[in-house]
């Protein structure tokens, strides 16, 4: 029987070992690449030869699966992304080529929610500033006074599975919760004691604004230069979703002008470029990419901004859930069983 060939990209060594134990080697041949899926690498020829043979392509959020890649994978039947979002894949073109796309819709609801509150607490109690001072043997309290979360209003944009976990944690802190979502579950609203409101009301009433909606055409620049002025002055802003949900100029303006008194960003404009940053002096790169990195560096210098490297999802338990669901998707596809199909 012909073996099913699967290529995994953006795979650390620990994940490679985990996946090797999950597949029957009599049925599957596995190929692993630590690098991302793109052409500008020394191993592109090796990748290209694999793409010509594989039945399944498994990728992560920085692997751009466009028409060019899909056309090179002549035998491709399934694209299995190890993420909830799939905007890095040309889903419509894959469908046209009769290639299925699967994702991992549930894996880290509590994981991302916990990281969200790690950012909130760091900002509300100035933990990042205190840590830097203590490393310099400076234990002065000047400028470190924070504020209680109890009684504050948190505005959750995107009341899906992650947003709901954020609400539950917020209730544990004694916070008031507002939510904005195009789909409203009023039974859940009553059970968790929060209130659905319009986006403008959420922006103007929230002490903390946190993003948990997917990134798509409808949410592209959902927060922008037109509505950022409606934000309650001095609010904290948290983004563990996608950078494109807020217009970059609106984010910088809100921080510079004090509309946001602080920001916790696990995602930010140009984050996908960071791995290439050291090569920028020797490569021809678009001006907009250089500008994005310069703006990121300016944000890093601000005491009221905390940036983490897209790690909200990255816990031991969440990664195992991602890999398990990916394996289940692939096996179910070839056994004609239900899987998390996107297209």
């Amino acid at each position: 029987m012909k073996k099913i060939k699967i290529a995994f990209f953006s795979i650390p060594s620990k994940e490679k070992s985990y996946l090797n134990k999950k597949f029957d080697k009599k049925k599957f041949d596995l190929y692993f690449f630590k690098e991302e899926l793109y052409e500008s690498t020394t191993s592109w020829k090796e990748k290209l030869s694999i793409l010509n043979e594989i039945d399944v392509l498994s990728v992560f959020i920085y692997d751009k699966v466009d028409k060019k890649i899909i056309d090179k994978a002549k035998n491709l039947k399934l694209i299995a992304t190890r993420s909830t979002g799939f905007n890095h894949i040309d889903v419509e073109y894959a469908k046209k080529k009769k290639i299925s796309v699967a994702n991992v819709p549930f894996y880290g609801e509590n994981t991302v929610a916990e990281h969200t509150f790690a950012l909130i607490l760091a900002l509300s109690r100035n933990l990042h500033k205190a840590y830097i001072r203590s490393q310099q043997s400076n234990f002065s309290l000047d400028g470190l006074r924070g504020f209680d979360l109890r009684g504050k209003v948190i505005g959750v944009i995107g009341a899906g599975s992650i947003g709901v976990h954020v609400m539950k944690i917020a209730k544990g802190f004694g916070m008031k919760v507002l939510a904005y979502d195009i789909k409203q579950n009023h039974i859940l609203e009553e059970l968790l004691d929060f209130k659905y409101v319009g986006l403008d009301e959420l922006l103007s009433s929230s002490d903390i604004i946190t993003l948990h909606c997917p990134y798509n055409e409808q949410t592209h620049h959902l927060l922008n230069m037109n509505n950022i002025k409606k934000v309650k002055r001095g609010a904290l802003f948290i983004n563990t979703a996608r950078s494109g949900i807020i217009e970059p100029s609106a984010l910088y303006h809100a921080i510079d002008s004090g509309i946001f008194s602080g920001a916790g960003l696990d995602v930010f404009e140009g984050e996908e470029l960071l791995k290439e940053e050291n090569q920028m002096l020797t490569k021809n790169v678009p001006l907009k990419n250089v500008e994005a990195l310069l703006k990121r560096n300016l944000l890093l210098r601000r005491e009221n901004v905390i940036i983490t490297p897209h790690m909200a999802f990255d816990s031991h338990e969440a990664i195992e859930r991602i890999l398990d669901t990916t394996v289940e998707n692939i096996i179910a596809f070839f056994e004609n069983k239900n899987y998390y199909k996107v297209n």
Side-chain angles (χ1 to χ4, degrees):
M1 184 179 72
K2 185 180 178 181
K3 289 186 178 182
I4 297 164
K5 296 184 177 182
I6 311 171
F8 294 90
F9 286 87
S10 301
I11 284 286
S13 57
K14 288 184 179 179
E15 294 178 25
K16 175 181 175 180
S17 300
Y18 189 85
L19 287 166
N20 266 320
K21 297 174 184 177
K22 295 291 180 176
F23 286 98
D24 184 348
K25 297 302 172 54
K26 294 179 181 179
K27 297 181 180 179
F28 297 92
D29 277 335
L30 309 182
Y31 302 88
F32 298 99
F33 293 89
K34 189 175 182 180
E35 292 178 303
E36 295 161 17
L37 176 61
Y38 58 93
E39 293 187 42
S40 57
T41 63
T42 54
S43 63
W44 174 244
K45 288 185 179 180
E46 182 186 359
K47 293 176 183 178
L48 181 59
S49 65
I50 293 298
L51 284 174
N52 286 329
E53 301 176 17
I54 59 170
D55 302 287
V56 181
L57 174 62
S58 180
V59 295
F60 195 50
I61 54 174
Y62 298 125
D63 299 308
K64 303 300 180 184
V65 187
D66 53 17
K67 292 181 181 180
K68 192 174 182 181
I69 293 294
I70 291 172
D71 283 337
K72 290 182 185 299
K74 304 296 184 182
N75 298 316
L76 190 61
K77 302 172 183 66
L78 174 68
I79 301 169
T81 184
R82 303 185 305 279
S83 62
T84 299
F86 45 86
N87 57 298
H88 53 296
I89 300 169
D90 191 332
V91 175
E92 289 303 314
Y93 190 68
K95 183 178 181 180
K96 182 179 178 181
K97 302 285 285 188
K98 297 182 179 179
I99 298 168
S100 292
V101 179
N103 73 335
V104 184
F106 311 105
Y107 69 88
E109 295 88 349
N110 67 292
T111 308
V112 176
E114 288 169 16
H115 190 80
T116 296
F117 266 87
L119 292 172
I120 291 172
L121 288 166
L123 288 166
S124 67
R125 300 307 299 269
N126 291 310
L127 297 182
H128 56 305
K129 299 178 188 176
Y131 173 76
I132 293 172
R133 284 191 190 183
S134 68
Q135 294 298 297
Q136 301 167 348
S137 297
N138 178 358
F139 297 96
S140 169
L141 297 180
D142 290 345
L144 295 183
R145 180 169 293 168
F147 61 85
D148 291 348
L149 295 184
R150 182 177 177 83
K152 297 297 188 295
V153 178
I154 184 169
V156 180
I157 298 178
S161 53
I162 295 174
V164 166
H165 272 78
V166 170
M167 294 179 196
K168 290 178 180 178
I169 296 173
K171 283 297 179 181
F173 278 98
M175 303 182 75
K176 299 175 183 177
V177 180
L178 301 178
Y180 169 73
D181 202 303
I182 56 173
K183 296 179 181 178
Q184 298 186 358
N185 184 334
H186 294 291
I187 295 175
L188 189 65
E189 181 181 22
E190 185 174 346
L191 285 173
L192 294 184
D193 187 27
F194 68 90
K195 181 182 178 183
Y196 285 113
V197 295
L199 181 59
D200 287 354
E201 183 177 346
L202 183 145
L203 296 179
S204 63
S205 303
S206 300
D207 299 298
I208 299 170
I209 297 167
T210 180
L211 302 185
H212 300 288
C213 55
Y215 177 65
N216 51 42
E217 290 182 3
Q218 288 71 43
T219 61
H220 175 71
H221 292 177
L222 184 65
L223 300 187
N224 49 63
M225 287 299 293
N226 291 325
N227 60 19
I228 201 71
K229 65 188 75 170
K230 298 176 182 178
V231 170
K232 181 179 180 179
R233 190 167 187 85
L236 292 183
F237 175 72
I238 308 295
N239 191 358
T240 56
R242 288 291 186 272
S243 60
I245 299 171
I246 182 168
E247 186 179 0
S249 57
L251 173 63
Y252 303 131
H253 170 70
I255 293 172
D256 287 339
S257 65
I259 293 174
F260 292 150
S261 62
L265 309 174
D266 189 53
V267 291
F268 48 90
E269 182 190 16
E271 65 179 90
E272 70 280 359
L273 305 171
L274 296 186
K275 294 181 181 180
E276 298 183 63
E277 188 171 3
N278 292 332
Q279 305 173 36
M280 288 223 164
L281 293 177
T282 59
K283 296 171 65 177
N284 292 321
V285 296
L287 181 60
K288 66 176 183 179
N289 292 355
V290 178
E291 290 176 350
L293 287 171
L294 288 173
K295 289 177 180 177
R296 187 283 316 252
N297 289 338
L298 290 174
L299 286 178
L300 279 173
R301 296 177 184 177
R302 300 189 69 106
E303 284 193 335
N304 62 339
V305 176
I306 299 175
I307 294 178
T308 54
H310 205 142
M311 58 182 281
F313 73 96
D314 196 8
S315 72
H316 292 292
E317 295 84 357
I319 294 300
E320 287 191 2
R321 289 193 290 268
I322 289 171
L323 297 180
D324 287 342
T325 302
T326 300
V327 172
E328 291 165 8
N329 277 338
I330 294 170
I331 293 175
F333 173 82
F334 287 100
E335 293 181 352
N336 292 315
K337 295 180 180 178
N338 291 331
Y339 62 98
Y340 292 112
K341 187 175 182 179
V342 169
N343 61 341

